[in-house]
């Protein structure tokens, strides 16, 4: 392998994910990953000591994405426009590149994730995102709607069973459901500075 260290790691992760998807995590060995990569096990061990290390690298990538989203949200006003942008960015991290395969692997291997220290951190990051989505409305209903909007994106991977549905259609449907939930957050509070609030107060006077 005459690739950069980062490129080699990425290739190992891609091939491992293929095998995990094809034959299952438990039935896949490091030897099989090395053989498909056409490298020795020693070369593979240089980057990953175990299958758990490979999975942990997927989780760490995910944590970095979620940290970036939380950092962005902290700089934004607590408006409906911000909530919509945040859930859209969150969906983008799940549907772009090889993320569909990674997320399906996470969904199908919850036991593996729970056994990893990094996997246990994902719940905390999710709760941070949920808090960002309902910032400005601390009601229990808002907290629940914020969490469910995230789950709408997550569960689109296995709850939507329509044959032939594309990833883009799945993403669009998830965001539609999430938007219905987010639209109700802050609705009972003072008017937010977003387009919907402006539209509600700028109508023509009735004769």
């Amino acid at each position: 392998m005459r690739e950069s260290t980062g490129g080699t790691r990425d290739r190992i992760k891609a091939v491992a994910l293929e095998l995990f998807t094809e034959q299952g995590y438990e039935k896949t060995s490091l030897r099989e990953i090395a053989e498909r990569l056409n490298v020795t096990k020693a070369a593979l061990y240089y980057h990953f000591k175990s299958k758990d290390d490979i999975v942990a690298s997927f989780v760490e990538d995910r944590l970095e994405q979620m940290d970036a989203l939380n950092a962005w949200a902290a700089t934004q006003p607590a408006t409906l426009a911000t909530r919509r942008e945040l859930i859209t960015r969150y969906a983008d991290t799940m549907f772009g590149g090889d993320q569909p395969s990674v997320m399906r692997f996470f969904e199908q291997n919850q036991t593996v994730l729970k056994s990893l220290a990094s996997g246990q951190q994902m719940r905390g990051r999710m709760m941070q995102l949920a808090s960002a989505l309902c910032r400005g409305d601390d009601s229990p209903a808002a907290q629940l709607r914020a969490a469910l909007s995230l789950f709408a994106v997550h569960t689109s991977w296995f709850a939507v069973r329509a044959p032939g549905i594309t990833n883009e259609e799945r993403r669009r449907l998830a965001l539609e459901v999430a938007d219905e939930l987010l639209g109700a957050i802050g609705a009972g509070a003072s008017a937010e500075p977003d387009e919907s609030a402006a539209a509600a107060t700028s109508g023509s006077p009735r004769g």
Side-chain angles (χ1 to χ4, degrees):
M1 280 185 155
R2 295 185 178 179
E3 303 172 69
S4 67
T5 298
T8 300
R9 283 177 61 88
D10 289 343
R11 179 160 161 70
I12 291 171
K13 289 161 64 174
V15 168
L17 187 60
E18 287 176 4
L19 285 167
F20 293 161
T21 302
E22 288 173 13
Q23 56 194 38
Y25 176 79
E26 297 296 340
K27 294 181 179 179
T28 300
S29 67
L30 286 179
R31 177 185 56 77
E32 290 173 300
I33 296 172
E35 287 177 351
R36 181 164 292 193
L37 285 162
N38 196 29
V39 301
T40 65
K41 283 183 68 175
L44 183 59
Y45 284 151
Y46 177 80
H47 297 281
F48 297 103
K49 303 300 183 186
S50 67
K51 291 190 299 179
D52 281 357
D53 281 353
I54 297 175
V55 175
S57 73
F58 290 134
V59 178
E60 287 159 8
D61 290 345
R62 186 73 185 146
L63 292 175
E64 288 180 6
Q65 293 171 336
M66 296 170 82
D67 284 342
L69 288 174
N70 279 313
W72 176 83
T75 68
Q76 304 302 309
T79 64
L80 177 57
T82 293
R83 294 178 189 118
R84 285 172 169 162
E85 178 63 19
L86 180 55
I87 201 68
T88 297
R89 291 185 179 211
Y90 179 70
D92 289 344
T93 69
M94 295 187 64
F95 285 86
D98 64 354
Q99 286 304 299
S101 296
V102 173
M103 296 313 299
R104 288 192 180 96
F105 171 79
F106 285 169
E107 185 58 42
Q108 295 166 5
N109 295 273
Q110 291 294 312
T111 301
V112 176
L113 284 180
K114 290 176 182 177
S115 68
L116 300 174
S118 55
Q120 295 170 18
Q121 296 174 38
M122 289 187 68
R123 182 177 183 277
R125 299 302 204 285
M126 286 287 290
M127 295 311 297
Q128 289 178 34
L129 282 172
S131 294
L133 285 168
C134 65
R135 189 156 52 92
D137 184 348
D138 60 359
S139 68
Q143 294 170 10
L144 182 58
R145 288 185 176 110
L148 289 175
S149 70
L150 292 170
F151 290 139
V153 179
H154 267 283
T155 57
S156 66
W157 291 116
F158 62 90
V160 180
R161 304 185 185 90
I165 189 170
T166 66
N167 285 342
E168 181 54 35
E169 290 170 336
R170 198 181 295 272
R171 175 185 179 278
R172 185 172 63 250
L173 178 60
L175 287 175
E176 286 177 2
V177 173
D179 191 62
E180 292 174 6
L181 292 160
L182 296 178
I185 295 176
S190 57
E192 294 181 351
D194 55 50
E195 294 99 350
S196 60
T201 58
S202 61
S204 303
R206 298 180 180 179

